[in-house]
Amino acid sequence: MKTLFSYRRWIPLLIIGSISVSSLLTGCDDTSEEETEVRANFESYSPTSGSKGTMLTLKVEYSGLKIKDIQVWVNNVETDVINVTHSQINARVPAGAGSGPVRVVVGNFEHTYPTSFEFLPNYMVSNYAGSGEVGYMDVAALSTRFQNLYWLAYDAKEDVIYTLETDIEPQRMRRIRNGMIETVVDFTRQAVRMNNPRTIEFSVTGDTIFVENDNGNNPAENPYAVGILTRADDFKVVKPYITYPAAITEHVNYAGVHPVDGTLIYYCWPSKLYVWDNEAQKATLLADIQQVIGQNGSYGSVQFSPDGKTIYLILQQPYQGILSAEYDAASKSLTKGFSRFAGTGSWGSNDGQGVEAGMDQPSQGAFAQDGNLYTVERFNHIVRRITPSGAVSLFAGTPGAGYTNGEATEAKFNQPLGFTIDKNNTVFVAEFANHRIRMIKEE
C-alpha cells in the first residue's frame, strides 16, 4: 500500500516585470517566494534479507530533495545511501546491522516499512589448526599434525579448544592455546587406562572434563565408564566418575551435561539413555531409544537447549537424524518422550522441514547464540543449521569431500566429526579425513 506524505516549502522569488507563474517557477532562485510542494510516496523495498553489503532498493517517489536529505537505517544502524533517483533509493547494508526494521527519512518525512529485514551474516572458512598431514606433532597450531580427529570441546574459562583423537592408539586429548598445541593427556598411559574414549564435555562450572569410554568389553582392565579430569590437575590425570558395574553398560558412547544443574546424561549401546546420580552412585534409565526409532543408533551426541528444557539426541548410525524430548530438571525425567525432530532416519542430503530433511551421519552438535542447533554431517561433508521448529538448512560446506576455504557455502570439508562454538560465536570443525580444524567466523 502506498503512503502519501507532503509538505509545503516557501521559496522566495524575485519577480521582475509581469511574467507567468510557469516562468516564475522556471526562473526561480534562492530569493524566490513562490510556494512549491514536496511529496514522498513510500512503496516497498527489496530484498528483505541478506548479509553485509547487500544493496537495498527502496521504491520511493519524491521530489524536491537531494541525496543529502535522505537517510536509511536497518535495525537502527545507519546505511550508506549510494544512489537516488525520483523513484528509488539504493542503500548498502552495513556490517553488524542485524535483523530489524527498515526506516527511511526523506526530508521531513519518516517511514518504517512493515516488513523487517533479516540480516544474514557473511561467514568465512579458514584453517585454525593442522597442516593436513596425518600424524602427531606438538608444535604451532597451523603446523601440527592430527590423526583421527574425533571430538572438540570448548573451555570458556580460558577461551581454549580441546581435541580428542581416538580409534587408534595412542589416544590423546590435546589443547590449543596461544597458537600452540600440546598433549594434555594420553589415555593409554594413565595408571588406569581408558582404551576407547569417545567424547569429552565440560561441567557447568568449567572445572571438570567428563570422558566417556567405550571400553570394548573389557571392564576388568578398563573399569572407567566415565572418567574425569580436573582443572586442579591441569586436566592431566584421569580419575573415576562412573565405574562398572554401576554404569550398567560397558559401552558409554557419548554424554551431555545439563546446562542448569550439571547432571550427566549418557548414551550407551544398545540405544539406551541414562541419568547419573553421583551422590547415590546410581544410573537410572531415562529412555530406550530403540522403541522410538525401531533400530539401534550407536554414535552421535547429546545436546540440551540453553534453558535445559529440551534434550536432543543426534544419531549418526545406522539411524540418521535428530530426536527431541521435553526434560524436567527437578525430577530428572522426561515430561514428553522422544520423537523424531529432524532427518528422515535414512541417508540423504536435502534441506527441509523436520523429518523431510535428509542427513548423512550427523555427529557432534552445539547451540549458537542465535538459538539454533548446529551439527556437522560426516559423509555429506557439511555443517547444518536446525531451527527450534526443526527447519534444516545448509550453513557451511558443499556436498562432496574436499578442502577449500573462503565463503562458508562454497567451502569444502572432508569427514567433519568434531564441532564446537566459542563465546564469540566462532565455529570450529574437526575433520577426520583432512586432519585439520577449520574455523568459521563472521566477516
Side-chain angles (χ1 to χ4, degrees):
M1 177 180 295
K2 296 184 178 182
T3 306
L4 181 64
F5 298 89
S6 69
Y7 72 91
R8 295 187 178 275
R9 175 189 294 168
W10 287 94
I11 303 175
L13 289 175
L14 178 61
I15 304 176
I16 302 175
S18 178
I19 56 176
S20 67
V21 173
S22 61
S23 297
L24 288 174
L25 293 175
T26 304
C28 68
D29 59 21
D30 290 340
T31 63
S32 60
E33 294 182 347
E34 179 70 16
E35 182 186 80
T36 186
E37 188 173 57
V38 178
R39 295 177 178 272
N41 194 17
F42 299 92
E43 298 182 6
S44 61
Y45 80 93
S46 64
T48 56
S49 64
S51 58
K52 180 197 78 171
T54 297
M55 187 68 75
L56 297 180
T57 298
L58 292 75
K59 298 295 185 182
V60 182
E61 295 180 1
Y62 67 95
S63 62
L65 295 170
K66 298 180 180 179
I67 192 170
K68 65 182 180 65
D69 301 311
I70 297 169
Q71 293 172 292
V72 179
W73 289 265
V74 174
N75 194 34
N76 292 323
V77 178
E78 189 169 2
T79 69
D80 292 326
V81 176
I82 305 300
N83 183 52
V84 300
T85 69
H86 289 297
S87 60
Q88 70 179 39
I89 300 167
N90 292 115
R92 196 178 300 279
V93 176
S99 299
V102 174
R103 181 166 56 94
V104 58
V105 169
V106 176
N108 288 351
F109 305 137
E110 181 174 330
H111 178 67
T112 299
Y113 290 94
T115 302
S116 290
F117 182 79
E118 181 185 5
F119 186 80
L120 305 175
N122 186 33
Y123 288 96
M124 300 294 290
V125 178
S126 60
N127 199 26
Y128 179 71
S131 65
E133 295 184 63
V134 64
Y136 168 72
M137 293 176 65
D138 276 354
V139 293
L142 289 172
S143 301
T144 194
R145 297 179 182 181
F146 293 111
Q147 186 166 8
N148 287 20
L149 264 172
Y150 193 82
W151 198 263
L152 296 178
Y154 175 63
D155 180 358
K157 278 195 169 182
E158 293 193 18
D159 194 24
V160 169
I161 299 294
Y162 283 77
T163 73
L164 180 62
E165 295 165 76
T166 189
D167 278 343
I168 187 170
E169 292 190 4
Q171 301 183 61
R172 310 177 182 90
M173 186 180 77
R174 299 164 83 187
R175 174 169 56 203
I176 305 171
R177 182 166 56 185
N178 298 324
M180 302 294 293
I181 189 163
E182 61 176 318
T183 297
V184 181
V185 60
D186 181 339
F187 293 102
T188 61
R189 295 186 179 182
Q190 294 286 307
V192 177
R193 71 195 301 267
M194 299 181 76
N195 75 324
N196 200 7
R198 286 290 183 184
T199 62
I200 54 176
E201 293 85 22
F202 273 89
S203 64
V204 170
T205 65
D207 292 323
T208 299
I209 294 177
F210 298 99
V211 184
E212 289 71 52
N213 187 33
D214 182 359
N215 78 343
N217 295 314
N218 195 1
E221 292 185 12
N222 303 279
Y224 297 174
V226 178
I228 58 171
L229 307 161
T230 62
R231 194 176 296 276
D233 295 322
D234 198 24
F235 301 120
K236 292 183 176 180
V237 180
V238 181
K239 299 175 182 179
Y241 186 71
I242 306 177
T243 58
Y244 301 99
I248 299 177
T249 175
E250 297 177 0
H251 302 274
V252 177
N253 301 130
Y254 51 91
V257 176
H258 192 273
V260 178
D261 65 13
T263 298
L264 186 76
I265 294 180
Y266 63 89
Y267 183 93
C268 67
W269 186 89
S271 299
K272 289 183 172 59
L273 200 64
Y274 289 93
V275 177
W276 178 250
D277 184 336
N278 196 50
E279 184 176 343
Q281 288 287 293
K282 180 182 178 182
T284 301
L285 182 67
L286 183 67
D288 184 341
I289 307 305
Q290 270 190 327
Q291 296 179 0
V292 180
I293 62 178
Q295 57 182 311
N296 198 2
S298 299
Y299 302 105
S301 68
V302 176
Q303 299 295 325
F304 281 95
S305 58
D307 62 7
K309 294 181 180 180
T310 306
I311 183 172
Y312 299 88
L313 285 184
I314 302 175
L315 303 176
Q316 65 170 253
Q317 54 174 302
Y319 185 86
Q320 314 287 320
I322 303 174
L323 311 180
S324 69
E326 294 180 8
Y327 180 80
D328 177 60
S331 63
K332 294 179 172 48
S333 63
L334 300 180
T335 56
K336 184 177 181 181
F338 278 99
S339 60
R340 301 183 185 208
F341 175 68
T344 64
S346 301
W347 288 269
S349 60
N350 60 291
D351 290 345
Q353 179 62 42
V355 296
E356 297 176 356
M359 295 181 164
D360 198 341
Q361 293 213 8
S363 302
Q364 190 176 3
F367 274 88
Q369 295 173 11
D370 62 7
N372 293 318
L373 175 63
Y374 292 76
T375 185
V376 287
E377 293 183 39
R378 183 174 187 176
F379 291 119
N380 274 334
H381 313 285
I382 57 175
V383 182
R384 281 318 234 314
R385 177 196 291 116
I386 305 99
T387 68
S389 66
V392 179
S393 62
L394 177 70
F395 173 67
T398 57
Y403 174 70
T404 305
N405 288 319
E407 293 279 351
T409 54
E410 297 177 2
K412 283 283 190 179
F413 298 94
N414 196 346
Q415 295 190 39
L417 276 176
F419 185 85
T420 194
I421 302 174
D422 73 5
K423 63 182 180 182
N424 299 314
N425 220 34
T426 301
V427 172
F428 298 88
V429 176
E431 298 173 276
F432 189 84
N434 269 339
H435 318 294
R436 289 184 170 98
I437 298 174
R438 310 280 283 286
M439 179 171 64
I440 308 175
K441 193 172 184 179
E442 183 177 354
E443 189 180 54

